[in-house]
Amino acid sequence: MHFKGYIYQLFLPLFIITASVLSGCATSSSAQQTMAPEQLNGTPENRIVPNDQGMWLLPQIDGILYKALKNKGLKLAKSTLYHPEKASLNQGIVRININGSSSGTGAFVSPKGLILTNHRIAYDGKTSASIIKNNYPKTGFYADAMDSELPLENYTLYIPIEQKEVTHQIQSQLPDTLTYYEQQQQTQSIKKRLIAQRKDSTDDLIVEINDFWSGNRQFMSVYKVIQDVRLVHLPPKAVAEYTNAPLAWSWPTHGGDYAFLRAYVDTNGQGSSYDDANIPFQPATHLPIDTSGVAADDFTMTLGFPGQTYRNESSFSFEFYKNHRNPVLLDSYRAILKSLQYADEQDSGTAIKNTSRRASIANVLAYYRDVQHGFEKHNIIEKKRTLEKDFEMWARKDSLRFLRYRRVLKQLDQAYDIASQSGDLLYGLVQAINNNKLLKIAGFYNAYRRHRGDSANTDLTQKQKKNLITQHKKVLENINIEAQKLMLSEMLYSQATLPDGKVMFYLIRLFGGAEKQDLKQEITNYVDSLEQQSFIFDLTKAKKFVDLPIDSARATPADPMVELYKKMFETYQFSRKNYLQHVPYLRPAQRRYAEGMLAFKNDTLSYPDANSTLRLSTGHVTGYKNTEGTYHNPFTTPSELAANSTKSAALNKYIQLSTYADSVDSPVINFLTSNDITGGNSGSPVLNKDGEIVGLAIGSNPKGVIGDYHYNRKFKRAINVDIRYILFLLKEISGDDRLLKEIQISSTIQKSTTHK
């Protein structure tokens, strides 16, 4: 999942800060180190793992970089991989957007718009009523004909047509005399003009211009948009998520994590919303499939839309994440997950509706837990500080350099010092206000409270009062009150146990005398008392209050739940105002930091941080040793699956059905590669040297999650599903070959599938 995008969505209603505030620069290691060919020899656990670091923009794949990738194993011509004016591999890839946000990747695998992607992506977000009613995420779904394929609500596909640099077109129009913020304003105006020129009134084109290297360079991405997306096939959840732990990046795993969608357009080939008359989209490129199998050391590559990385941000930002952001987010997501699990235990219908959200929250929680562990285990902040000391010494060796970069580190330190004063409190408040439904209802009445508090205001109309009660009723009918109370109690405890000086005054007033060992129970008792006293929990009491004349409503004591919301929201507003004071220091310093680090490292090749734009990564099939020295083989096999499959009768049936599990070649189920991926790459095709699909990316291994901040080739791995296992399951679950006939199977000569 694109976890950072998910976090950002949660912040949008209240916490509107552009992504660039906390995102930063990114560079690769030196070109010589990054691209040096290395021998893969010796026993599997003692092989030297290639440095496959890099999430490359497609226009970068030229010259030295293209030659280096060919040395690693790439066989495709540049024009086949990417061409801005002709059909090329990039047009076989799709960015899958759910509810307006980039959520994953897919690949066209037939000339009729058939898309291969991950299981979760195929039902995430608000899907059709029939999918929820029939519990297809759990039981699986297969459309035996095109007219049986199910429309997915709030899904769009972005097909990348072009990606090009426009830095010169923008920066040549910016006089050197402008201040940083004047430059930003003019840059936005120039971007709008360039986008309008490229779009040229074409309805189904989306044009974006993104900043890279903290605004030092800009690239334009052009997409064809598909609005009619339908579910074709979804395996049962027990098959898709078969693992020792229900997380996307567990290893070892035996997950058949895949699904098929289809893109539809109108009869003129234009993207349009769902219509019975729409026809399957014919992509300019669809990717062939290679069923000859993968072997240790094989060259691989992925094309996809990695969400966000922070690798070359400063030590000050890393310290902020570790000490002020991550702990609060961990507490918040634990509280949300506990609430969902409690509600699911009480009602099977709720459990079905919560399937996607529960899985997403569990994965986000695991992500931040592994990130935090990585910060602590690998001394990342200390390593970054050492690099910055060297950078400072380098700057001092030249008077002009020193003049340009001498204040960068001090400004970053100052920015994050300001952010740390209120950041953890702010993150916690945002999570509570945006996620707890009881607080959401209280927010409705807080707005009414503000309205009636102004003596100049008249009473609400009967229509307005009815709408208020209707909103209240709609939320109340769709929640488990005890689950929401549990979440609220956990979040208040997290807020009440922040460091001294950061606890909101209202909580100090309520619980300031409590010892820590008694605090959790006191907060639970307080939330229980809210249920007894507040009309938020009782629609009849709420209606009586709303029906009061405005003078009587003004004289009525404040509802305790509305009062809690009011205090939290006021603290949020105050904290946000303080927090945002770091932005004027951070943005220009971050841009100068990225520029300086590029010059300091003297890279002839570098790649920018991920930001949901199309990237190519290369890798090799390889295992890894964990920090305890245990070697993890890069393959899981059907024999292991059969020996350990106790979770699902359906799963047992699938593994016993065919010769797949008894194959002499012992084809794999999942495999590891050193491809450099992150959230958003879920569903990316794993390709061989000839651009044929050999697998499907699921996510990173637990030890590799910290790679979003600090790349370590010893641990950074991508977990993938073998394409042969996907085709096997497709055949066995569907019982026919309708889709198999659509898919282009490569006639590549069989190669050894010995697993080393």
Side-chain angles (χ1 to χ4, degrees):
M1 165 186 190
H2 176 190
F3 303 122
K4 278 67 69 181
Y6 181 78
I7 294 291
Y8 187 61
Q9 285 183 61
L10 293 178
F11 278 52
L12 278 176
L14 297 172
F15 194 24
I16 304 175
I17 300 178
T18 60
S20 63
V21 170
L22 291 179
S23 65
C25 62
T27 64
S28 68
S29 303
S30 70
Q32 292 79 12
Q33 181 185 18
T34 301
M35 290 300 152
E38 298 178 71
Q39 289 297 111
L40 294 167
N41 50 30
T43 58
E45 61 270 26
N46 292 320
R47 283 190 176 91
I48 298 175
V49 179
N51 189 341
D52 287 318
Q53 180 180 5
M55 300 178 182
W56 308 102
L57 293 161
L58 297 191
Q60 290 185 279
I61 304 168
D62 197 2
I64 296 172
L65 176 58
Y66 178 66
K67 183 178 179 180
L69 297 183
K70 287 191 71 176
N71 288 340
K72 282 177 174 282
L74 177 66
K75 298 298 183 185
L76 292 178
K78 281 190 300 180
S79 59
T80 302
L81 187 62
Y82 171 66
H83 195 292
E85 298 173 357
K86 298 179 182 178
S88 48
L89 208 59
N90 60 289
Q91 294 187 49
I93 310 299
V94 297
R95 189 171 96 188
I96 301 174
N97 303 305
I98 306 173
N99 295 318
S101 297
S102 176
S103 295
T105 303
F108 287 116
V109 291
S110 91
K112 298 179 181 179
L114 188 67
I115 298 165
L116 175 63
T117 189
N118 282 150
H119 183 267
R120 179 193 54 78
I121 291 172
Y123 68 85
D124 211 355
K126 182 183 176 184
T127 53
S128 69
S130 60
I131 292 174
I132 296 298
K133 178 181 178 182
N134 293 289
N135 197 12
Y136 290 139
K138 181 177 180 180
T139 63
F141 170 78
Y142 178 75
D144 55 9
M146 283 188 182
D147 58 10
S148 301
E149 295 170 358
L150 300 176
L152 297 175
E153 298 176 21
N154 299 327
Y155 276 63
T156 56
L157 305 175
Y158 282 17
I159 303 168
I161 296 171
E162 183 181 4
Q163 194 178 65
K164 70 174 183 178
E165 185 163 10
V166 292
T167 305
H168 178 72
Q169 292 171 260
I170 292 173
Q171 296 189 6
S172 63
Q173 300 182 56
L174 301 173
D176 293 338
T177 55
L178 296 178
T179 66
Y180 174 82
Y181 286 98
E182 287 172 340
Q183 283 186 2
Q184 294 303 104
Q185 289 176 336
Q186 290 203 24
T187 295
Q188 293 307 313
S189 297
I190 296 167
K191 283 182 178 179
K192 287 180 181 178
R193 289 200 300 270
L194 292 175
I195 288 170
Q197 289 170 9
R198 179 62 181 87
K199 193 173 180 351
D200 193 27
S201 302
T202 307
D203 290 337
D204 63 352
L205 277 189
I206 289 288
V207 182
E208 300 174 350
I209 296 179
N210 304 105
D211 288 328
F212 297 86
W213 291 279
S214 298
N216 284 286
R217 291 169 69 179
Q218 291 78 33
F219 283 74
M220 175 186 286
S221 295
V222 183
Y223 306 94
K224 180 179 177 65
V225 181
I226 304 290
Q227 300 177 57
D228 186 351
V229 186
R230 304 184 196 181
L231 178 64
V232 179
H233 169 49
L234 193 70
K237 182 180 178 183
V239 173
E241 299 182 2
Y242 185 85
T243 181
N244 294 326
L247 299 171
W249 51 79
S250 299
W251 187 264
T253 184
H254 297 83
D257 187 355
Y258 77 96
F260 286 95
L261 311 177
R262 195 182 302 278
Y264 282 80
V265 290
D266 66 22
T267 53
N268 296 315
Q270 299 298 304
S272 67
S273 56
Y274 172 79
D275 191 300
D276 282 339
N278 284 350
I279 59 175
F281 172 66
Q282 297 181 15
T285 301
H286 65 276
L287 307 185
I289 286 174
D290 173 21
T291 58
S292 61
V294 291
D297 307 337
D298 277 359
F299 172 85
T300 55
M301 56 183 175
T302 61
L303 278 167
F305 299 89
Q308 193 168 2
T309 55
Y310 313 82
R311 288 181 183 169
N312 283 279
E313 288 192 1
S314 67
S315 62
F316 309 104
S317 69
F318 284 6
E319 190 171 29
F320 175 81
Y321 298 147
K322 177 178 179 288
N323 296 330
H324 302 284
R325 183 197 67 177
N326 295 354
V328 176
L329 290 181
L330 284 167
D331 285 347
S332 298
Y333 287 113
R334 287 190 194 102
I336 297 168
L337 187 60
K338 274 188 182 180
S339 173
L340 289 169
Q341 290 171 336
Y342 180 89
D344 294 349
E345 289 168 1
Q346 309 306 309
D347 180 72
S348 59
T350 298
I352 293 170
K353 288 191 290 186
N354 283 345
T355 297
S356 174
R357 179 163 167 75
R358 189 175 61 249
S360 295
I361 294 297
N363 279 296
V364 174
L365 176 60
Y367 171 82
Y368 281 104
R369 185 177 62 237
D370 288 330
V371 165
Q372 193 72 344
H373 177 77
F375 271 121
E376 295 164 356
K377 191 76 174 178
H378 300 298
N379 300 316
I380 292 170
I381 296 173
E382 290 75 13
K383 291 175 182 177
K384 183 68 70 171
R385 284 177 180 154
T386 299
L387 178 67
E388 288 166 354
K389 286 179 182 178
D390 293 341
F391 167 74
E392 195 167 25
M393 290 176 62
W394 167 82
R396 287 179 179 275
K397 290 179 180 179
D398 182 284
S399 59
L400 290 178
R401 284 203 305 251
F402 184 63
L403 185 64
R404 189 166 184 82
Y405 301 119
R406 63 189 172 89
R407 298 184 60 195
V408 167
L409 296 178
K410 290 179 182 178
Q411 279 187 271
L412 289 170
D413 187 10
Q414 186 176 9
Y416 282 105
D417 181 60
I418 295 170
S420 68
Q421 300 306 310
S422 55
D424 33 15
L425 172 61
L426 185 61
Y427 272 83
L429 287 168
V430 167
Q431 291 293 322
I433 293 170
N434 281 346
N435 286 283
N436 189 264
K437 302 303 182 185
L438 298 174
L439 289 174
K440 180 177 181 178
I441 298 171
F444 300 155
Y445 292 94
N446 189 55
Y448 174 50
R449 174 183 181 158
R450 291 199 306 271
H451 171 84
R452 76 170 200 253
D454 187 343
S455 58
N457 286 340
T458 58
D459 201 357
L460 297 181
T461 66
Q462 286 302 312
K463 182 178 181 181
Q464 288 172 322
K465 290 183 176 183
K466 183 178 179 181
N467 287 341
L468 179 58
I469 293 298
T470 299
Q471 283 182 297
H472 185 167
K473 181 180 179 182
K474 185 177 180 180
V475 177
L476 207 60
E477 287 179 344
N478 286 282
I479 62 172
N480 180 299
I481 288 178
E482 289 302 316
Q484 293 296 315
K485 285 172 56 184
L486 174 63
M487 184 200 302
L488 181 60
S489 296
E490 294 280 336
M491 287 182 163
L492 290 177
Y493 179 77
S494 176
Q495 291 283 291
T497 52
L498 288 173
D500 290 343
K502 296 186 177 182
V503 180
M504 60 184 288
F505 295 133
Y506 191 64
L507 295 186
I508 293 174
R509 197 177 86 190
L510 289 173
F511 311 113
E515 298 293 333
K516 189 168 183 179
Q517 63 269 23
D518 302 322
L519 181 59
K520 183 164 281 191
Q521 186 59 52
E522 287 208 19
I523 290 175
T524 299
N525 294 341
Y526 164 71
V527 174
D528 285 341
S529 73
L530 290 176
E531 184 174 12
Q532 301 303 315
Q533 300 169 25
S534 172
F535 59 67
I536 296 300
F537 299 83
D538 189 323
L539 209 59
T540 302
K541 290 181 180 178
K543 192 173 186 306
K544 287 181 180 178
F545 171 73
V546 171
D547 285 340
L548 289 173
I550 194 166
D551 290 338
S552 299
R554 285 173 180 148
T556 302
D559 181 273
M561 189 74 200
V562 178
E563 183 70 8
L564 173 63
Y565 176 89
K566 175 177 178 286
K567 296 299 184 183
M568 293 179 75
F569 187 73
E570 288 174 348
T571 306
Y572 155 76
Q573 289 179 307
F574 179 78
S575 299
R576 181 176 182 268
K577 182 178 179 181
N578 288 340
Y579 178 84
L580 288 177
Q581 290 181 32
H582 84 285
V583 175
Y585 299 95
L586 176 61
R587 286 179 174 171
Q590 185 65 38
R591 180 172 178 177
R592 190 62 58 85
Y593 178 86
E595 173 197 290
M597 279 294 177
L598 284 170
F600 164 58
K601 294 180 180 181
N602 194 27
D603 282 350
T604 55
L605 290 169
S606 65
Y607 61 94
D609 258 324
N611 61 352
S612 296
T613 52
L614 183 62
R615 307 295 180 92
L616 174 102
S617 76
T618 63
H620 294 81
V621 177
T622 182
Y624 71 100
K625 283 185 180 180
N626 62 21
T627 49
E628 289 73 39
T630 302
Y631 178 71
H632 287 277
N633 192 289
F635 305 101
T636 56
T637 67
S639 59
E640 297 162 349
L641 179 61
N644 293 288
S645 57
T646 58
K647 287 189 177 182
S648 163
L651 187 57
N652 282 327
K653 177 182 177 182
Y654 298 141
I655 62 174
Q656 293 168 4
L657 268 174
S658 84
T659 57
Y660 183 91
D662 302 319
S663 168
V664 175
D665 289 331
S666 186
V668 302
I669 289 179
N670 299 113
F671 63 95
L672 296 172
T673 64
S674 53
N675 288 77
D676 194 0
I677 68 169
T678 188
N681 277 117
S682 298
S684 288
V686 182
L687 309 172
N688 63 17
K689 63 184 183 299
D690 299 307
E692 300 163 325
I693 298 177
V694 295
L696 189 68
I698 301 174
S700 297
N701 60 318
K703 296 294 183 185
V705 168
I706 191 61
D708 283 1
Y709 301 81
H710 174 74
Y711 179 86
N712 187 323
R713 63 171 164 174
K714 291 182 180 179
F715 305 117
K716 185 80 171 87
R717 297 293 180 271
I719 301 175
N720 314 292
V721 191
D722 192 293
I723 192 63
R724 296 167 299 171
Y725 188 53
I726 292 173
L727 296 178
F728 159 74
L729 290 174
L730 173 60
K731 174 66 175 177
E732 297 300 335
I733 294 171
S734 67
D736 67 30
D737 57 1
R738 179 176 82 89
L739 296 182
L740 289 172
K741 288 180 178 178
E742 272 193 52
I743 297 170
Q744 179 186 343
I745 307 295
S746 172
S747 59
T748 301
I749 298 173
Q750 293 283 321
K751 61 188 175 190
S752 169
T753 54
T754 302
H755 309 314
K756 303 176 184 178

